[in-house]
Amino acid sequence: MHRTHTCGELTIKDLGAEVTLSGWVAKSRDLGGMTFIDLRDRYGITQLVFNMDDNEQLCAEGRKLGREFVIKITGKVIERSSKNLKIPTGEIEIKISKLEILNAAKTVPFLIEDETDGGDDLRMKYRYLDLRRAVVRKNMELRHKMAHETRNYLSNHKFIEVETPVLIKSTPEGARDFVVPSRMNPGEFYALPQSPQTFKQLLMVSGFDRYFQIVKCFRDEDLRADRQPEFTQIDCEMSFVEQEDILNMFEGLFKHLFKSIKGIDIAEVPRMTYADAMKYYGSDKPDIRFDMKFVELNDVVKGKDFKVFDDAELVVGICAKGCAQYTRKQVDELTDFVKKPQIGATGLVYCRYNEDGTIKSSVDKFYSEEELQKWVSAFGAEKGDLILILAGKADKTRKALNELRLEMGNRLGFRDKNTFAPLWVLDFPLLEFDEESGRWHAMHHPFTSPKPEDIALLETDPGAVRANAYDMVLNGTEIGGGSIRIHNKELQSLMFKHLGFSQEEAHKQFGFLMDAFEFGAPPHGGIAFGFDRLCSLFAGLDTIRDVIAFPKNNSGRDVMIDSPSTIANEQLNELSIAVK
């Protein structure tokens, strides 16, 4: 037997017990007559003690143990003289009677500790060592618990977990596909699924009225902190439902996860239309942990010979509570922030409502104090507040002000990772126009149903058509999205027409789904949650990489196994592929 107990379970109640433990040497401390070893496994750390007076030879062997040696020990549980109450095993130690080295270890490239000296690249190269660290392991344990509780909730609500194919047909919508050549069909390719969208709709046609899957998906796109080329979704679909049924069911899942994983009771999740989200926050995923809504000022500020405002399509601002005391340096920092190329504003106008009741702005030359008082009234500002204003093209200005709002939220400490503010965003536009291709694209995907009352607008004003679509947002991050689907062939054909598909193209790409709709498709809808992203938010992390066991870097490479890599010419020839 390699162990009778783990390294995380022995306590003062086990005094006198003869035990066998196995694990990795985390630390070694040689105090002359005694040597102390911290033995680590997945469950915790137990202190071992080798005593020169008791067994000189055994103590000498203990001194030779290096970090990350794999050992097996037998000994007696005794009380520690110097206790460590920060860990469950901190009141005891093991007095060693037998030692076996199961495997020696080279010197590790970085410390296997919570506060390591290894940089990101080094830790990714030796990810199997990084996973030994308690902070990383806890992320994996959290991920496991969230998957377990997700399955519990959905199974208890009569959902069936069904696996869908990984080798599927490539479609032109959405991000780039990862493609897989078919050896048996030269010149033809499979695609890896960006989502199981069409298959879950086919399952609804099959009569599986409640489907779910915790599924791996793939997108060949540029990476950033919250993206990986392969990622995991909680994918769900339901039949004979309307939007309200979907929202209630999956708000329930969301609340269940918070209660079972974090012990937090989430109140009813508020709802906001896409139009209001863009108007008041400049984002379709607003962070509502703090207020600071946008206030539009066109009617208040134009016509005063200030060209920046007079020529702008939109003048809009936010009120930062208690920030009138900001120094010139702090205001200049904010100006530099909004002028960054990735944000794109041309400048920043400010207005201080001082504690003494006076009002000062950066445009006093154009606006009297009486006129500035109208600004204060528009914002509902109080003494001590600072008003920050941007102007320009409407969409670009809202986007820039959203970034400024989030920056102020960070500076004022409003974006606490331990505060959770979920939100449903509803009534997205069905279509968005792509200037480059000169045609409309589905904002979500081609199977999203328009609101019935807006269908007629498809012919006259496609941009005004609202979708039966919804996103769940948590702390300014989209964690899930879905829609009520089109379930009849005629409406689906109309949708394809407005997306620029010819009948031949639509049938080539989606004929199997269109044909299935002719055999009795029920009304259906669904949602998919970004499982990696949800785990990272629960863990209080900034990147999903830390909740994935073996992630890729920002270049899409796995530096641990050196992938992607070239393949042999023989394989290329078998696949009828020539590489330039």
Side-chain angles (χ1 to χ4, degrees), residues 15-114:
L15 288 180
E18 191 78 9
V19 298
T20 298
L21 303 180
S22 293
W24 287 263
V25 174
K27 286 182 181 177
S28 178
R29 301 179 296 283
D30 185 357
L31 303 182
M34 303 179 79
T35 297
F36 294 94
I37 300 285
D38 284 350
L39 188 66
R40 180 191 69 241
D41 66 7
R42 171 188 147 192
Y43 305 94
I45 286 177
T46 297
Q47 181 169 285
L48 315 179
V49 58
F50 295 82
N51 195 320
M52 188 72 76
D53 294 338
D54 294 335
N55 190 325
E56 185 174 342
Q57 182 181 349
L58 193 62
C59 192
E61 291 178 19
R63 286 176 175 175
K64 295 176 184 177
L65 296 174
R67 281 190 179 228
E68 302 309 312
F69 274 43
V70 185
I71 65 172
K72 171 184 171 182
I73 63 93
T74 300
K76 185 177 181 181
V77 180
I78 62 173
E79 188 170 1
R80 281 174 68 162
S81 56
S82 178
K83 294 180 173 59
N84 177 6
L85 300 181
K86 294 180 180 179
I87 60 174
T89 62
E91 294 182 278
I92 59 95
E93 60 193 10
I94 311 300
K95 184 179 179 182
I96 304 302
S97 58
K98 185 179 179 182
L99 167 68
E100 180 182 350
I101 297 175
L102 300 175
N103 223 327
K106 295 196 303 183
T107 302
V108 291
F110 54 86
L111 292 175
I112 312 296
E113 296 179 1
D114 289 359

Side-chain angles (χ1 to χ4, degrees), residues 396-468:
K396 185 177 179 180
T397 301
R398 284 195 178 96
K399 180 182 175 183
L401 190 60
N402 167 57
E403 296 296 334
L404 179 59
R405 177 182 177 271
L406 296 177
E407 174 66 13
M408 291 305 298
N410 287 331
R411 289 179 177 231
L412 296 171
F414 294 153
R415 304 186 75 196
D416 180 4
K417 291 179 180 177
N418 294 313
T419 299
F420 298 97
L423 172 72
W424 285 112
V425 178
L426 312 174
D427 298 349
F428 282 80
L430 182 70
L431 305 170
E432 56 187 346
F433 193 75
D434 180 53
E435 298 287 349
E436 193 171 315
S437 63
R439 67 183 183 91
W440 293 98
H441 287 267
M443 182 170 269
H444 284 75
H445 54 66
F447 315 109
T448 298
S449 173
K451 287 195 171 293
E453 62 269 30
D454 288 358
I455 291 175
L457 292 173
L458 279 169
E459 300 292 349
T460 58
D461 190 4
V465 179
R466 296 167 300 159
N468 262 328

Side-chain angles (χ1 to χ4, degrees), residues 481-519:
S483 64
I484 298 299
R485 321 301 186 190
I486 296 170
H487 67 278
N488 69 73
K489 186 175 180 178
E490 291 74 23
L491 183 55
Q492 189 65 72
S493 296
L494 183 62
M495 183 68 171
F496 284 142
K497 171 190 167 185
H498 285 283
L499 292 173
F501 286 86
S502 67
Q503 285 190 344
E504 294 74 21
E505 288 172 329
H507 192 269
K508 182 179 178 182
Q509 297 294 337
F510 305 109
F512 61 93
L513 184 64
M514 304 283 280
D515 291 344
F517 284 173
E518 296 190 86
F519 291 94

